[in-house]
PDB file of all heavy atoms in Angstrom:
ATOM      1  N   TYR A  46       8.287   1.218  -6.463  1.00  0.00           N
ATOM      2  CA  TYR A  46       8.218   0.141  -5.488  1.00  0.00           C
ATOM      3  C   TYR A  46       7.347  -0.996  -6.002  1.00  0.00           C
ATOM      4  O   TYR A  46       6.502  -0.824  -6.864  1.00  0.00           O
ATOM      5  CB  TYR A  46       7.498   0.724  -4.273  1.00  0.00           C
ATOM      6  CG  TYR A  46       8.028   2.085  -3.705  1.00  0.00           C
ATOM      7  CD1 TYR A  46       7.576   3.227  -4.403  1.00  0.00           C
ATOM      8  CD2 TYR A  46       8.923   2.187  -2.659  1.00  0.00           C
ATOM      9  CE1 TYR A  46       8.075   4.417  -3.986  1.00  0.00           C
ATOM     10  CE2 TYR A  46       9.356   3.401  -2.202  1.00  0.00           C
ATOM     11  CZ  TYR A  46       8.968   4.543  -2.885  1.00  0.00           C
ATOM     12  OH  TYR A  46       9.331   5.809  -2.521  1.00  0.00           O
ATOM     13  N   TYR A  48       5.069  -4.057  -3.994  1.00  0.00           N
ATOM     14  CA  TYR A  48       4.481  -4.632  -2.821  1.00  0.00           C
ATOM     15  C   TYR A  48       3.748  -5.827  -3.203  1.00  0.00           C
ATOM     16  O   TYR A  48       3.298  -5.991  -4.327  1.00  0.00           O
ATOM     17  CB  TYR A  48       3.552  -3.673  -2.078  1.00  0.00           C
ATOM     18  CG  TYR A  48       4.251  -2.390  -1.465  1.00  0.00           C
ATOM     19  CD1 TYR A  48       4.526  -1.379  -2.313  1.00  0.00           C
ATOM     20  CD2 TYR A  48       4.439  -2.277  -0.078  1.00  0.00           C
ATOM     21  CE1 TYR A  48       5.109  -0.136  -1.792  1.00  0.00           C
ATOM     22  CE2 TYR A  48       5.030  -1.190   0.419  1.00  0.00           C
ATOM     23  CZ  TYR A  48       5.361  -0.069  -0.431  1.00  0.00           C
ATOM     24  OH  TYR A  48       5.902   1.126   0.114  1.00  0.00           O
ATOM     25  N   GLN A  50       0.425  -8.549  -1.683  1.00  0.00           N
ATOM     26  CA  GLN A  50      -0.602  -8.786  -0.664  1.00  0.00           C
ATOM     27  C   GLN A  50      -1.170 -10.218  -0.833  1.00  0.00           C
ATOM     28  O   GLN A  50      -1.865 -10.431  -1.913  1.00  0.00           O
ATOM     29  CB  GLN A  50      -1.692  -7.776  -0.790  1.00  0.00           C
ATOM     30  CG  GLN A  50      -2.788  -7.859   0.222  1.00  0.00           C
ATOM     31  CD  GLN A  50      -3.926  -6.834   0.175  1.00  0.00           C
ATOM     32  OE1 GLN A  50      -4.265  -6.450  -1.022  1.00  0.00           O
ATOM     33  NE2 GLN A  50      -4.544  -6.483   1.199  1.00  0.00           N
ATOM     34  N   LYS A  55      -1.948  -8.588   4.965  1.00  0.00           N
ATOM     35  CA  LYS A  55      -1.637  -7.149   4.793  1.00  0.00           C
ATOM     36  C   LYS A  55      -0.637  -6.983   3.628  1.00  0.00           C
ATOM     37  O   LYS A  55      -0.076  -7.905   3.101  1.00  0.00           O
ATOM     38  CB  LYS A  55      -0.990  -6.619   6.099  1.00  0.00           C
ATOM     39  CG  LYS A  55       0.441  -7.141   6.385  1.00  0.00           C
ATOM     40  CD  LYS A  55       0.938  -6.464   7.691  1.00  0.00           C
ATOM     41  CE  LYS A  55       2.248  -7.043   8.089  1.00  0.00           C
ATOM     42  NZ  LYS A  55       2.820  -6.428   9.249  1.00  0.00           N
ATOM     43  N   VAL A  56      -0.579  -5.800   3.258  1.00  0.00           N
ATOM     44  CA  VAL A  56       0.326  -5.399   2.170  1.00  0.00           C
ATOM     45  C   VAL A  56       1.704  -5.442   2.618  1.00  0.00           C
ATOM     46  O   VAL A  56       2.084  -4.761   3.692  1.00  0.00           O
ATOM     47  CB  VAL A  56      -0.035  -3.968   1.543  1.00  0.00           C
ATOM     48  CG1 VAL A  56       0.931  -3.564   0.476  1.00  0.00           C
ATOM     49  CG2 VAL A  56      -1.500  -4.004   1.076  1.00  0.00           C
ATOM     50  N   PHE A  58       5.938  -4.830   1.777  1.00  0.00           N
ATOM     51  CA  PHE A  58       6.962  -4.240   0.954  1.00  0.00           C
ATOM     52  C   PHE A  58       7.903  -5.256   0.381  1.00  0.00           C
ATOM     53  O   PHE A  58       8.358  -6.225   1.074  1.00  0.00           O
ATOM     54  CB  PHE A  58       7.772  -3.251   1.757  1.00  0.00           C
ATOM     55  CG  PHE A  58       9.002  -2.734   1.139  1.00  0.00           C
ATOM     56  CD1 PHE A  58       8.965  -1.782   0.110  1.00  0.00           C
ATOM     57  CD2 PHE A  58      10.271  -3.196   1.482  1.00  0.00           C
ATOM     58  CE1 PHE A  58      10.108  -1.300  -0.501  1.00  0.00           C
ATOM     59  CE2 PHE A  58      11.474  -2.799   1.002  1.00  0.00           C
ATOM     60  CZ  PHE A  58      11.349  -1.807  -0.036  1.00  0.00           C
ATOM     61  N   GLU A  69      16.291  -0.440  -1.510  1.00  0.00           N
ATOM     62  CA  GLU A  69      16.000  -1.218  -0.333  1.00  0.00           C
ATOM     63  C   GLU A  69      15.207  -2.445  -0.804  1.00  0.00           C
ATOM     64  O   GLU A  69      14.423  -2.442  -1.724  1.00  0.00           O
ATOM     65  CB  GLU A  69      15.206  -0.434   0.693  1.00  0.00           C
ATOM     66  CG  GLU A  69      15.022  -1.172   2.028  1.00  0.00           C
ATOM     67  CD  GLU A  69      14.294  -0.312   3.090  1.00  0.00           C
ATOM     68  OE1 GLU A  69      14.012   0.939   2.811  1.00  0.00           O
ATOM     69  OE2 GLU A  69      14.147  -0.801   4.180  1.00  0.00           O
ATOM     70  N   PHE A 104       1.376  -5.145  -6.182  1.00  0.00           N
ATOM     71  CA  PHE A 104       1.133  -3.785  -6.383  1.00  0.00           C
ATOM     72  C   PHE A 104       2.467  -2.999  -6.727  1.00  0.00           C
ATOM     73  O   PHE A 104       3.431  -3.144  -6.048  1.00  0.00           O
ATOM     74  CB  PHE A 104       0.535  -3.072  -5.175  1.00  0.00           C
ATOM     75  CG  PHE A 104      -0.857  -3.493  -4.842  1.00  0.00           C
ATOM     76  CD1 PHE A 104      -1.127  -4.316  -3.738  1.00  0.00           C
ATOM     77  CD2 PHE A 104      -1.929  -3.045  -5.586  1.00  0.00           C
ATOM     78  CE1 PHE A 104      -2.368  -4.681  -3.495  1.00  0.00           C
ATOM     79  CE2 PHE A 104      -3.231  -3.437  -5.316  1.00  0.00           C
ATOM     80  CZ  PHE A 104      -3.443  -4.330  -4.215  1.00  0.00           C
ATOM     81  N   TRP A 108       6.503   7.280  -6.331  1.00  0.00           N
ATOM     82  CA  TRP A 108       6.486   8.396  -5.345  1.00  0.00           C
ATOM     83  C   TRP A 108       6.520   9.759  -5.999  1.00  0.00           C
ATOM     84  O   TRP A 108       7.301  10.018  -6.868  1.00  0.00           O
ATOM     85  CB  TRP A 108       7.739   8.273  -4.416  1.00  0.00           C
ATOM     86  CG  TRP A 108       7.859   9.360  -3.455  1.00  0.00           C
ATOM     87  CD1 TRP A 108       8.446  10.509  -3.635  1.00  0.00           C
ATOM     88  CD2 TRP A 108       7.272   9.381  -2.168  1.00  0.00           C
ATOM     89  NE1 TRP A 108       8.334  11.278  -2.451  1.00  0.00           N
ATOM     90  CE2 TRP A 108       7.625  10.628  -1.559  1.00  0.00           C
ATOM     91  CE3 TRP A 108       6.573   8.470  -1.459  1.00  0.00           C
ATOM     92  CZ2 TRP A 108       7.252  10.884  -0.263  1.00  0.00           C
ATOM     93  CZ3 TRP A 108       6.193   8.776  -0.090  1.00  0.00           C
ATOM     94  CH2 TRP A 108       6.517   9.999   0.361  1.00  0.00           C
ATOM     95  N   LYS A 110       4.925  14.092  -4.880  1.00  0.00           N
ATOM     96  CA  LYS A 110       4.033  14.908  -4.013  1.00  0.00           C
ATOM     97  C   LYS A 110       3.831  14.362  -2.710  1.00  0.00           C
ATOM     98  O   LYS A 110       2.728  14.279  -2.146  1.00  0.00           O
ATOM     99  CB  LYS A 110       2.705  15.184  -4.723  1.00  0.00           C
ATOM    100  CG  LYS A 110       2.811  15.928  -6.044  1.00  0.00           C
ATOM    101  CD  LYS A 110       1.445  16.227  -6.612  1.00  0.00           C
ATOM    102  CE  LYS A 110       1.576  16.921  -7.921  1.00  0.00           C
ATOM    103  NZ  LYS A 110       0.230  17.104  -8.568  1.00  0.00           N
ATOM    104  N   GLU A 111       4.958  13.745  -2.085  1.00  0.00           N
ATOM    105  CA  GLU A 111       4.922  13.264  -0.714  1.00  0.00           C
ATOM    106  C   GLU A 111       3.982  12.117  -0.534  1.00  0.00           C
ATOM    107  O   GLU A 111       3.440  11.895   0.537  1.00  0.00           O
ATOM    108  CB  GLU A 111       4.565  14.377   0.327  1.00  0.00           C
ATOM    109  CG  GLU A 111       5.581  15.503   0.303  1.00  0.00           C
ATOM    110  CD  GLU A 111       5.227  16.595   1.256  1.00  0.00           C
ATOM    111  OE1 GLU A 111       3.955  16.826   1.508  1.00  0.00           O
ATOM    112  OE2 GLU A 111       6.140  17.292   1.807  1.00  0.00           O
ATOM    113  N   THR A 112       3.721  11.377  -1.587  1.00  0.00           N
ATOM    114  CA  THR A 112       2.756  10.294  -1.485  1.00  0.00           C
ATOM    115  C   THR A 112       3.215   9.111  -2.445  1.00  0.00           C
ATOM    116  O   THR A 112       3.790   9.335  -3.440  1.00  0.00           O
ATOM    117  CB  THR A 112       1.390  10.709  -1.929  1.00  0.00           C
ATOM    118  OG1 THR A 112       0.989  11.847  -1.156  1.00  0.00           O
ATOM    119  CG2 THR A 112       0.381   9.627  -1.964  1.00  0.00           C
ATOM    120  N   GLN A 113       2.951   7.945  -1.916  1.00  0.00           N
ATOM    121  CA  GLN A 113       3.065   6.765  -2.818  1.00  0.00           C
ATOM    122  C   GLN A 113       1.800   6.457  -3.505  1.00  0.00           C
ATOM    123  O   GLN A 113       0.759   6.242  -2.882  1.00  0.00           O
ATOM    124  CB  GLN A 113       3.548   5.536  -2.058  1.00  0.00           C
ATOM    125  CG  GLN A 113       4.980   5.572  -1.762  1.00  0.00           C
ATOM    126  CD  GLN A 113       5.534   4.300  -1.205  1.00  0.00           C
ATOM    127  OE1 GLN A 113       5.064   3.204  -1.531  1.00  0.00           O
ATOM    128  NE2 GLN A 113       6.558   4.397  -0.344  1.00  0.00           N
ATOM    129  N   PHE A 115      -0.346   4.089  -5.802  1.00  0.00           N
ATOM    130  CA  PHE A 115      -0.416   2.590  -6.065  1.00  0.00           C
ATOM    131  C   PHE A 115      -1.212   2.387  -7.385  1.00  0.00           C
ATOM    132  O   PHE A 115      -2.201   3.016  -7.676  1.00  0.00           O
ATOM    133  CB  PHE A 115      -1.106   1.830  -4.966  1.00  0.00           C
ATOM    134  CG  PHE A 115      -0.183   1.751  -3.745  1.00  0.00           C
ATOM    135  CD1 PHE A 115      -0.024   2.714  -2.860  1.00  0.00           C
ATOM    136  CD2 PHE A 115       0.480   0.553  -3.538  1.00  0.00           C
ATOM    137  CE1 PHE A 115       0.832   2.629  -1.812  1.00  0.00           C
ATOM    138  CE2 PHE A 115       1.319   0.386  -2.425  1.00  0.00           C
ATOM    139  CZ  PHE A 115       1.454   1.393  -1.571  1.00  0.00           C
TER     140      PHE A 115
ATOM    141  N   TYR B  58      -4.930   4.346   3.680  1.00  0.00           N
ATOM    142  CA  TYR B  58      -5.334   3.958   2.338  1.00  0.00           C
ATOM    143  C   TYR B  58      -6.692   3.114   2.554  1.00  0.00           C
ATOM    144  O   TYR B  58      -6.855   2.507   3.522  1.00  0.00           O
ATOM    145  CB  TYR B  58      -4.354   3.053   1.751  1.00  0.00           C
ATOM    146  CG  TYR B  58      -3.116   3.807   1.210  1.00  0.00           C
ATOM    147  CD1 TYR B  58      -1.984   4.071   2.035  1.00  0.00           C
ATOM    148  CD2 TYR B  58      -3.018   4.228  -0.145  1.00  0.00           C
ATOM    149  CE1 TYR B  58      -0.859   4.681   1.490  1.00  0.00           C
ATOM    150  CE2 TYR B  58      -1.855   4.922  -0.591  1.00  0.00           C
ATOM    151  CZ  TYR B  58      -0.810   5.120   0.275  1.00  0.00           C
ATOM    152  OH  TYR B  58       0.307   5.787  -0.293  1.00  0.00           O
ATOM    153  N   GLN B  60      -9.123   0.278   0.438  1.00  0.00           N
ATOM    154  CA  GLN B  60      -9.070  -0.757  -0.635  1.00  0.00           C
ATOM    155  C   GLN B  60     -10.479  -1.304  -0.795  1.00  0.00           C
ATOM    156  O   GLN B  60     -10.909  -2.001   0.144  1.00  0.00           O
ATOM    157  CB  GLN B  60      -8.101  -1.773  -0.380  1.00  0.00           C
ATOM    158  CG  GLN B  60      -7.942  -2.799  -1.415  1.00  0.00           C
ATOM    159  CD  GLN B  60      -6.928  -3.928  -1.098  1.00  0.00           C
ATOM    160  OE1 GLN B  60      -6.783  -4.318   0.044  1.00  0.00           O
ATOM    161  NE2 GLN B  60      -6.152  -4.391  -2.095  1.00  0.00           N
ATOM    162  N   GLY B  65      -7.236  -1.475  -6.148  1.00  0.00           N
ATOM    163  CA  GLY B  65      -5.960  -1.121  -5.617  1.00  0.00           C
ATOM    164  C   GLY B  65      -6.131  -0.271  -4.402  1.00  0.00           C
ATOM    165  O   GLY B  65      -7.220  -0.224  -3.802  1.00  0.00           O
ATOM    166  N   LEU B  66      -5.096   0.362  -3.992  1.00  0.00           N
ATOM    167  CA  LEU B  66      -5.042   1.159  -2.836  1.00  0.00           C
ATOM    168  C   LEU B  66      -5.211   2.650  -3.110  1.00  0.00           C
ATOM    169  O   LEU B  66      -4.417   3.193  -3.878  1.00  0.00           O
ATOM    170  CB  LEU B  66      -3.684   0.938  -2.039  1.00  0.00           C
ATOM    171  CG  LEU B  66      -3.478  -0.461  -1.475  1.00  0.00           C
ATOM    172  CD1 LEU B  66      -2.069  -0.716  -1.267  1.00  0.00           C
ATOM    173  CD2 LEU B  66      -4.340  -0.730  -0.332  1.00  0.00           C
ATOM    174  N   LEU B  68      -5.303   6.554  -1.589  1.00  0.00           N
ATOM    175  CA  LEU B  68      -4.855   7.361  -0.457  1.00  0.00           C
ATOM    176  C   LEU B  68      -6.087   8.169  -0.014  1.00  0.00           C
ATOM    177  O   LEU B  68      -6.728   8.881  -0.762  1.00  0.00           O
ATOM    178  CB  LEU B  68      -3.786   8.310  -0.873  1.00  0.00           C
ATOM    179  CG  LEU B  68      -3.271   9.267   0.220  1.00  0.00           C
ATOM    180  CD1 LEU B  68      -2.510   8.394   1.328  1.00  0.00           C
ATOM    181  CD2 LEU B  68      -2.388  10.352  -0.386  1.00  0.00           C
ATOM    182  N   LYS B  71      -2.809  11.847   4.658  1.00  0.00           N
ATOM    183  CA  LYS B  71      -1.433  11.636   5.054  1.00  0.00           C
ATOM    184  C   LYS B  71      -0.954  12.651   6.063  1.00  0.00           C
ATOM    185  O   LYS B  71      -1.600  13.831   6.071  1.00  0.00           O
ATOM    186  CB  LYS B  71      -0.498  11.690   3.848  1.00  0.00           C
ATOM    187  CG  LYS B  71      -0.479  13.041   3.190  1.00  0.00           C
ATOM    188  CD  LYS B  71       0.301  13.048   1.891  1.00  0.00           C
ATOM    189  CE  LYS B  71       0.275  14.428   1.247  1.00  0.00           C
ATOM    190  NZ  LYS B  71       0.876  14.319  -0.126  1.00  0.00           N
ATOM    191  N   PHE B  73       2.572  14.414   7.575  1.00  0.00           N
ATOM    192  CA  PHE B  73       4.064  14.531   7.600  1.00  0.00           C
ATOM    193  C   PHE B  73       4.507  15.376   8.657  1.00  0.00           C
ATOM    194  O   PHE B  73       5.437  15.007   9.446  1.00  0.00           O
ATOM    195  CB  PHE B  73       4.532  15.157   6.236  1.00  0.00           C
ATOM    196  CG  PHE B  73       4.724  14.118   5.105  1.00  0.00           C
ATOM    197  CD1 PHE B  73       4.175  12.838   5.229  1.00  0.00           C
ATOM    198  CD2 PHE B  73       5.343  14.497   3.954  1.00  0.00           C
ATOM    199  CE1 PHE B  73       4.291  11.977   4.188  1.00  0.00           C
ATOM    200  CE2 PHE B  73       5.531  13.571   3.017  1.00  0.00           C
ATOM    201  CZ  PHE B  73       4.995  12.293   3.078  1.00  0.00           C
ATOM    202  N   PHE B 112      -6.500   0.595   5.522  1.00  0.00           N
ATOM    203  CA  PHE B 112      -5.089   0.228   5.859  1.00  0.00           C
ATOM    204  C   PHE B 112      -4.413   1.563   6.416  1.00  0.00           C
ATOM    205  O   PHE B 112      -4.331   2.568   5.774  1.00  0.00           O
ATOM    206  CB  PHE B 112      -4.292  -0.263   4.804  1.00  0.00           C
ATOM    207  CG  PHE B 112      -4.746  -1.694   4.359  1.00  0.00           C
ATOM    208  CD1 PHE B 112      -5.531  -1.862   3.288  1.00  0.00           C
ATOM    209  CD2 PHE B 112      -4.244  -2.827   4.974  1.00  0.00           C
ATOM    210  CE1 PHE B 112      -5.961  -3.139   2.894  1.00  0.00           C
ATOM    211  CE2 PHE B 112      -4.627  -4.148   4.620  1.00  0.00           C
ATOM    212  CZ  PHE B 112      -5.467  -4.232   3.516  1.00  0.00           C
ATOM    213  N   THR B 120      11.173  10.920   3.026  1.00  0.00           N
ATOM    214  CA  THR B 120       9.805  10.980   2.554  1.00  0.00           C
ATOM    215  C   THR B 120       9.492   9.876   1.523  1.00  0.00           C
ATOM    216  O   THR B 120       8.352   9.505   1.328  1.00  0.00           O
ATOM    217  CB  THR B 120       9.397  12.331   1.984  1.00  0.00           C
ATOM    218  OG1 THR B 120      10.338  12.646   0.913  1.00  0.00           O
ATOM    219  CG2 THR B 120       9.539  13.338   3.082  1.00  0.00           C
ATOM    220  N   ALA B 121      10.471   9.414   0.868  1.00  0.00           N
ATOM    221  CA  ALA B 121      10.297   8.359  -0.263  1.00  0.00           C
ATOM    222  C   ALA B 121      10.505   6.901   0.241  1.00  0.00           C
ATOM    223  O   ALA B 121      10.649   6.104  -0.581  1.00  0.00           O
ATOM    224  CB  ALA B 121      11.043   8.712  -1.458  1.00  0.00           C
ATOM    225  N   SER B 122      10.612   6.768   1.506  1.00  0.00           N
ATOM    226  CA  SER B 122      10.936   5.454   2.035  1.00  0.00           C
ATOM    227  C   SER B 122       9.721   4.467   1.920  1.00  0.00           C
ATOM    228  O   SER B 122       8.665   4.870   1.653  1.00  0.00           O
ATOM    229  CB  SER B 122      11.441   5.553   3.510  1.00  0.00           C
ATOM    230  OG  SER B 122      10.434   6.018   4.295  1.00  0.00           O
ATOM    231  N   LYS B 123      10.056   3.184   2.178  1.00  0.00           N
ATOM    232  CA  LYS B 123       9.019   2.166   2.071  1.00  0.00           C
ATOM    233  C   LYS B 123       7.942   2.393   3.073  1.00  0.00           C
ATOM    234  O   LYS B 123       8.154   3.088   4.127  1.00  0.00           O
ATOM    235  CB  LYS B 123       9.658   0.847   2.283  1.00  0.00           C
ATOM    236  CG  LYS B 123      10.080   0.655   3.725  1.00  0.00           C
ATOM    237  CD  LYS B 123      10.684  -0.763   4.046  1.00  0.00           C
ATOM    238  CE  LYS B 123      11.033  -0.829   5.490  1.00  0.00           C
ATOM    239  NZ  LYS B 123      11.680  -2.157   5.845  1.00  0.00           N
ATOM    240  N   LEU B 124       6.701   1.867   2.680  1.00  0.00           N
ATOM    241  CA  LEU B 124       5.665   1.925   3.699  1.00  0.00           C
ATOM    242  C   LEU B 124       5.488   0.581   4.393  1.00  0.00           C
ATOM    243  O   LEU B 124       5.653  -0.501   3.743  1.00  0.00           O
ATOM    244  CB  LEU B 124       4.376   2.274   2.972  1.00  0.00           C
ATOM    245  CG  LEU B 124       4.312   3.702   2.342  1.00  0.00           C
ATOM    246  CD1 LEU B 124       2.880   3.929   1.721  1.00  0.00           C
ATOM    247  CD2 LEU B 124       4.690   4.718   3.313  1.00  0.00           C
ATOM    248  N   PHE B 126       2.586  -1.511   6.347  1.00  0.00           N
ATOM    249  CA  PHE B 126       1.192  -1.480   6.501  1.00  0.00           C
ATOM    250  C   PHE B 126       0.719  -2.222   7.723  1.00  0.00           C
ATOM    251  O   PHE B 126       1.422  -3.242   8.170  1.00  0.00           O
ATOM    252  CB  PHE B 126       0.578  -2.084   5.286  1.00  0.00           C
ATOM    253  CG  PHE B 126       0.474  -1.151   4.041  1.00  0.00           C
ATOM    254  CD1 PHE B 126       1.661  -1.049   3.324  1.00  0.00           C
ATOM    255  CD2 PHE B 126      -0.551  -0.456   3.802  1.00  0.00           C
ATOM    256  CE1 PHE B 126       1.635  -0.243   2.167  1.00  0.00           C
ATOM    257  CE2 PHE B 126      -0.568   0.420   2.652  1.00  0.00           C
ATOM    258  CZ  PHE B 126       0.537   0.498   1.888  1.00  0.00           C
ATOM    259  N   GLY B 127      -0.317  -1.834   8.300  1.00  0.00           N
ATOM    260  CA  GLY B 127      -1.077  -2.647   9.316  1.00  0.00           C
ATOM    261  C   GLY B 127      -1.862  -3.728   8.617  1.00  0.00           C
ATOM    262  O   GLY B 127      -1.901  -3.839   7.390  1.00  0.00           O
TER     263      GLY B 127
END
Side-chain angles (χ1 to χ4, degrees):
Chain A
Y46 313 80
Y48 293 80
Q50 184 183 31
K55 67 179 178 179
V56 178
F58 169 76
E69 187 175 0
F104 291 107
W108 177 270
K110 297 181 182 178
E111 300 179 330
T112 300
Q113 281 191 31
F115 284 80
Chain B
Y58 285 86
Q60 184 182 34
L66 297 162
L68 179 72
K71 62 189 178 188
F73 276 13
F112 292 95
T120 57
S122 62
K123 69 179 183 185
L124 297 183
F126 284 82

